Amino acid sequence: MPDLSRLAPLPPEAASDDPHALRERLHSALAEALVNGTLAPGQEYGEPRIAQQLGAPTAPLREALLLLAAQRLVEYTGPETVRVTPVDAATCRDTATVLHGLYRTAVLGAPWPLPEGDLAALRNAAAAQVRAVAGRDAVEAAGSERALWSVFVHACRNRPLYDAVTQLAPAWQRAQHLELPLPEKPEAAWEALLAACTAGDRQRALHCTDEHWQRALRGADERCGRAGGTTTS
């Protein structure tokens, strides 16, 4: 029986959440556990056990799990049983391809020159990823990178794009942590992007975005070659 002891129970204040807020809280907690590997790929978990561990009612828990299933992080294998989806190498590459296009559109649609608040958020996210890579913290590195690209997503104020990124980004974040090597010298890549953003040079920022995601795709391609199209469970 898979171990759920590392899945932290909900905090006491969750008891006062309305149904929508509780579902969002559960979705966020479970998504984090899936991305960081607390809930491991290939493992099956029963809804009642998850509810008991979290201290949550089953109705909002199922709603949260259905959202995670739509994000392809879990799949139902029975009426009350979910399986954590394996990290599929080919799907990983396809996800990176789509995210490249979405983030490129966000960079293109953001207001240029970027406000100082957005520039500060970019610098902070880039610095956080550099620290995470130096500390060999793959979970934090992937999260910091997502935070960096999210600056452009929020800046462009494109709700359909935001929804699409929200749907896809957790699966890519999980793949980065579980399957792909940490980036080498990330400070060099971010330095060029940050310089372009500081200068208000949208075209150069787009070029840096393309270069970054081409490197990510090469890494995913290498993973596809090693796996031969198989999955990790």
Side-chain angles (χ1 to χ4, degrees):
M1 184 178 294
D3 182 21
L4 284 172
S5 62
R6 292 175 57 212
L7 187 61
L10 294 180
E13 57 267 25
S16 60
D17 285 347
D18 62 43
H20 174 77
L22 183 56
R23 183 194 69 190
E24 292 303 306
R25 188 190 292 271
L26 286 165
H27 176 265
S28 177
L30 289 169
E32 181 178 354
L34 289 160
V35 166
N36 67 25
T38 297
L39 300 178
Q43 295 290 344
E44 290 191 347
Y45 302 92
E47 284 182 356
R49 286 191 63 227
I50 299 174
Q52 181 180 23
Q53 177 65 24
L54 291 173
T58 55
L61 173 65
R62 171 161 288 198
E63 292 177 3
L65 287 168
L66 288 171
L67 290 174
L68 294 165
Q71 293 175 296
R72 300 187 179 185
L73 293 173
V74 301
E75 57 190 3
Y76 272 87
T77 59
E80 294 185 338
T81 303
V82 293
R83 175 175 178 256
V84 180
T85 54
V87 179
D88 178 88
T91 302
C92 170
R93 188 197 192 284
D94 292 342
T95 301
T97 300
V98 176
L99 282 173
H100 175 198
L102 291 170
Y103 287 135
R104 194 180 200 281
T105 300
V107 173
L108 189 63
W112 288 84
L114 295 174
E116 183 53 43
D118 287 346
L119 291 172
L122 289 172
R123 295 185 191 107
N124 289 338
Q129 203 217 24
V130 170
R131 288 194 300 271
V133 170
R136 312 307 294 171
D137 187 338
V139 174
E140 181 61 28
S144 299
E145 182 183 322
R146 181 179 175 185
L148 185 146
W149 296 113
S150 292
V151 174
F152 295 107
V153 172
H154 288 288
C156 76
R157 298 182 181 275
N158 182 327
R159 185 53 191 256
L161 186 147
Y162 171 86
D163 289 342
V165 168
T166 300
Q167 188 81 357
L168 291 172
W172 172 248
Q173 194 176 341
R174 183 175 69 138
Q176 285 180 291
H177 158 48
L178 294 175
E179 292 292 332
L180 301 178
L182 285 166
E184 296 182 7
K185 299 181 179 178
E187 60 274 16
W190 298 137
E191 182 180 347
L193 177 63
L194 291 173
C197 293
T198 302
D201 190 336
R202 185 187 343 225
Q203 289 306 313
R204 187 149 59 100
L206 285 169
H207 177 72
C208 293
T209 300
D210 290 339
E211 284 193 330
H212 172 87
W213 284 96
Q214 285 161 8
R215 285 192 298 272
L217 286 167
R218 284 195 296 272
D221 280 338
E222 290 173 4
R223 164 63 188 144
C224 285
R226 290 197 306 272
T230 61
T231 59
T232 299
S233 59

